[in-house]
Amino acid sequence: MTALRTDRTSSWEATHRAATAPVPVHPLEYACWLLLALGAIMGGLSFFSWRDGALALLALPVLLLALWPWPPQRPDRALRHRTAAALMLAALPLIYLLPLPLELAAHLPGRTVRLQAAIEELGPAAWTTVSLAADDTWQAWLKLVPGLALFLAALRLPDTRQRRLLGAILAIVMLQALWGLAQVSGDTDSSLLFYGAADDHRASGSFANRNHFASLLLLGLPLLAVLSAGGGWDWRQAPQAGWRLMGATGLLLVTTALLASRSRAAAGLLVLEAGLFCLWLLRRRGLSPRLLGGGLALGLAAGLYFAAYLVPGGLELDSADGRLGVLQRSLTAALAFFPLGAGPGTFGSVFPGFDTLATLDKVYINHAHNDLLELLFELGMVGAALYAGALGLLAAALWRHVVRRGGDAVEWACVLGLCAVAAHGAVDYPLRVPLVAMVTLTFLGVVLRPAATPPPRRNGVDARAASAKAWPWPTQAGPGPRSAP
């Protein structure tokens, strides 16, 4: 019995040493860090520019490394399926670039009147694309490439490397917060303002729009809350004072910068994130789901009560070009192209055709300020299905983490950040901005990464711990030795 206990102890110690050994940095990590750093500087504009083309070009090494069959193990079936699905969805904008004869394209929904002039000038035998603005669709695809590369990298990276990637994102979030606070304390002609100054001092970081700056901060806040409350990434280990101090400091810094952005929606979502995180902490201690649901409903009711003073001002009900007016016209335009859509990225160039006498030559509308309506406008039925599928994934993740208490703290923080961005997308367009889209898709890759299948034991030592330094699938160490009966 003593020999058996000694053998078990020595096996577990060998497993623990192998699993906790430092994991070397892989080239894919370096490529992801570089892409995120460049995105933090060049990825703050929703309009297409040379910056988006440069980011798409720089994302190609990340994409190739994420798809490369690294030894010693091949990706499992679940990972291959997720990768294939992501690549097929990413190819969707390219389908709208397929050529069609003008005579055939004119019979597609919403295109009869718009293509009539081209038919009269070029003849029905001339060719055009399915998209009503081929250049815009191509640009939309280029803006998608960096986020796709980071999503596939997050799917492929193991736990340790994934945590380091999230740490790089947190560093960007805190630096952006410092940048925004420096803008508030500086002059309106400061060189810290990349895209000009607003009428009053507002924090915007490297973004052209303060609301998109706030979206990035909302993504990082739950991860900082995890570090502050848990003292580290893994709550199964003893908390560390250094992690807690860094998390609390970052939480205070980012919250201050978010409020300095003066974004109405972000202020409300900050309260919602704080409430959900507190409820999750209580749930981890065994609180009843019914009591949690009642607390959440009470918090939402209080938020809606106070939001009643802020929402009408944001919707600009007295203006034909206000948010509510744009939403109504966007729905009408989307139904004109249903079920095919006008093409990815075409909203800014096609939507002005739906101007009325009350809105003509007033304000240039480049986005619908609502993700569902813009997807419905550009992709038709497919866009609505994609939006519903994304909400379904978030709902399933919320159920798994809050009600069933599955997953870990880092995954929950990513889910909470994704929910905040999805809610912000109901009144804005954060995912049309490269940096926010890159961070969002990285978080989505963390949430959707399939769990690695534990390999068989060899010579009394867990093989998954023996391959802790291997690429690409090290897993967590097993439990400690059980006491002999």
Side-chain angles (χ1 to χ4, degrees):
M1 183 65 66
T2 303
L4 178 61
R5 182 183 304 161
T6 303
D7 180 67
R8 285 181 177 177
T9 304
S10 60
S11 298
W12 179 80
E13 288 177 350
T15 301
H16 181 71
R17 283 196 301 270
T20 56
V23 179
V25 179
H26 193 271
L28 178 57
E29 288 184 87
Y30 286 121
C32 290
W33 295 344
L34 178 60
L35 181 59
L36 283 168
L38 294 173
I41 300 173
M42 300 190 298
L45 189 63
S46 61
F47 291 95
F48 184 83
S49 69
W50 63 269
R51 300 174 180 85
D52 300 294
L55 286 176
L57 184 63
L58 294 168
L60 291 181
V62 180
L63 189 61
L64 292 176
L65 287 170
L67 295 174
W68 193 265
W70 292 97
Q73 298 180 8
R74 294 176 58 85
D76 59 13
R77 180 178 299 179
L79 178 60
R80 291 198 301 269
H81 289 170
R82 286 167 169 79
T83 302
L87 292 176
M88 286 189 292
L89 290 176
L92 185 61
L94 301 179
I95 297 177
Y96 281 79
L97 296 178
L98 293 176
L100 288 177
L102 274 172
E103 187 177 13
L104 178 60
H107 289 84
L108 297 178
R111 289 163 171 80
T112 303
V113 176
R114 288 170 176 80
L115 295 180
Q116 190 60 41
I119 293 176
E120 293 176 357
E121 180 179 355
L122 303 175
W127 291 69
T128 185
T129 58
V130 179
S131 171
L132 285 173
D135 289 344
D136 293 341
T137 298
W138 173 250
Q139 293 167 4
W141 185 79
L142 288 178
K143 291 174 77 75
L144 177 63
V145 172
L148 171 67
L150 289 170
F151 172 77
L152 295 177
L155 278 181
R156 189 82 185 271
L157 288 171
D159 288 342
T160 303
R161 293 185 170 104
Q162 205 177 74
R163 300 302 190 256
R164 290 200 293 237
L165 181 60
L166 294 177
I169 291 176
L170 278 187
I172 291 174
V173 170
M174 289 189 285
L175 288 174
Q176 286 279 352
L178 286 172
W179 192 341
L181 292 176
Q183 291 170 337
V184 173
S185 60
D187 296 328
T188 55
D189 58 350
S190 171
S191 59
L192 294 174
L193 297 168
F194 270 18
Y195 306 102
D199 295 334
D200 50 0
H201 293 284
R202 294 172 177 175
S204 58
S206 64
F207 293 86
N209 190 317
R210 58 191 173 91
N211 293 298
H212 305 152
F213 168 74
S215 294
L216 178 68
L217 301 188
L218 286 171
L219 282 166
L221 276 172
L223 282 173
L224 291 170
V226 166
L227 292 180
S228 177
W233 291 122
D234 192 352
W235 284 23
R236 291 170 294 184
Q237 299 177 356
Q240 301 179 16
W243 283 109
R244 279 188 169 170
L245 178 61
M246 189 190 76
T249 304
L251 197 63
L252 178 62
L253 171 68
V254 174
T255 302
T256 305
L258 189 146
L259 295 176
S261 70
R262 303 188 185 183
S263 172
R264 295 181 179 90
L269 291 172
L270 173 63
V271 176
L272 183 62
E273 275 192 342
L276 285 174
F277 191 83
C278 292
L279 291 175
W280 179 76
L281 284 178
L282 295 174
R283 178 58 178 157
R284 286 181 68 91
R285 302 178 185 276
L287 204 62
S288 169
R290 294 182 179 179
L291 185 59
L292 289 176
L296 179 59
L298 183 61
L300 287 175
L304 290 175
Y305 174 77
F306 289 106
Y309 298 99
L310 300 176
V311 170
L315 292 178
E316 300 172 274
L317 300 177
D318 57 344
S319 173
D321 269 324
R323 295 288 179 89
L324 186 59
V326 172
L327 292 178
Q328 293 173 344
R329 290 160 53 205
S330 299
L331 178 59
T332 302
L335 295 179
F337 297 110
F338 192 82
L340 185 62
T346 60
F347 186 91
S349 57
V350 177
F351 182 72
F354 292 87
D355 272 326
T356 64
L357 292 177
T359 61
L360 191 63
D361 296 333
K362 292 291 184 64
V363 179
Y364 174 66
I365 305 297
N366 64 325
H367 290 288
H369 291 81
N370 182 277
D371 286 337
L372 175 58
L373 286 180
E374 192 155 350
L375 284 172
L376 193 65
F377 180 95
E378 296 181 349
L379 296 175
M381 184 181 297
V382 175
L386 290 176
Y387 189 83
L391 292 184
L393 287 175
L394 291 180
L398 285 173
W399 174 270
R400 182 172 69 251
H401 285 278
V402 176
V403 179
R404 298 182 60 187
R405 287 188 289 179
D408 62 5
V410 174
E411 288 184 5
W412 163 248
C414 291
V415 170
L416 192 52
L418 292 174
C419 290
V421 170
H424 201 184
V427 293
D428 205 76
Y429 47 97
L431 297 181
R432 304 285 172 162
V433 182
L435 179 56
V436 179
M438 290 162 65
V439 175
T440 299
L441 288 174
T442 303
F443 282 13
L444 188 62
V446 172
V447 174
L448 296 183
R449 185 173 75 87
T453 304
R457 300 174 66 89
R458 295 195 301 267
N459 299 326
V461 178
D462 197 339
R464 62 184 175 183
S467 62
K469 297 183 180 181
W471 173 266
W473 301 121
T475 56
Q476 299 292 336
R482 297 178 181 177
S483 58

